[in-house]
Amino acid sequence: MVRRTKAEAEQTRSLILDTAERLFFTKGVSRTTLAEIATAAGLTRGAIYWHFANKLELFNAMHERVALPFTEAMEKLLHAEDPLAALRERCVLDLQDIAACPQLQQVLAVLLHKCEYVDELGELCLRFDQQNKCFVEHSETVLARAHALGQLRDGVEPRRAAIALHNYMLGTISDWLFAPDLRYRLADEAGPLVDLFFAGLERPA
């Protein structure tokens, strides 16, 4: 009975998050209330508050659900035998994963284009900044190892390269999500796009 109750609670929590993602995407975060999320999910407001104290907590959970796999994937790169190739492959896979997953596209579109980071959501700026900082720091560590192995061009500084990579990836994702009518096939173009960037880092053979 306890096990079933936990499973049901997790199912309800997932339903709330799925519904919130959809409403945040269609209406924007600031224009969506917890009451509207409850109604759309077919739940009571009490069910929402049992899982989430407020919209900020719900938004945090939505963000964590997509951010955690990215963070774990980046951490695995720290011990790669071929750091530059591993980082390049990770970037390609990240773009391909986004292209293949409508839910991920929806959440990223909310984070990048449909959220006003003010008032109660203001502290999410700090959370978003922390995630960006984590990406840059992990990339810098990987690129520093690549530099030590002689994989980088002369003059390529790991920290600067990590910042540039973050900007390149975030800009590519943001632009692709922002203009759906002008979308190219990101899954097909992921490799060539990433290779253009890494060509500027890698020491010629």
Side-chain angles (χ1 to χ4, degrees), residues 21 24-25 28-29 59 62-63 66-67 70 94-95 98 103-117 121 124-125 127-129 131-132 166-179 183 186:
E21 288 172 5
F24 288 161
F25 180 77
V29 177
F59 194 96
M62 183 194 76
H63 180 245
V66 297
F70 283 99
D94 284 348
L95 294 179
I98 292 169
Q103 181 196 22
L104 186 52
Q105 294 170 27
Q106 185 169 262
V107 174
L108 289 173
V110 170
L111 290 169
L112 295 172
H113 301 304
K114 297 179 181 288
C115 182
E116 297 176 355
Y117 293 98
L121 297 180
L124 285 175
C125 286
R127 187 178 187 85
F128 200 50
D129 286 347
Q131 184 184 358
N132 292 337
H166 171 262
N167 294 343
Y168 187 80
M169 289 292 291
L170 188 61
T172 297
I173 294 166
S174 179
D175 287 351
W176 187 75
L177 292 171
F178 186 72
R183 282 186 184 177
L186 183 59

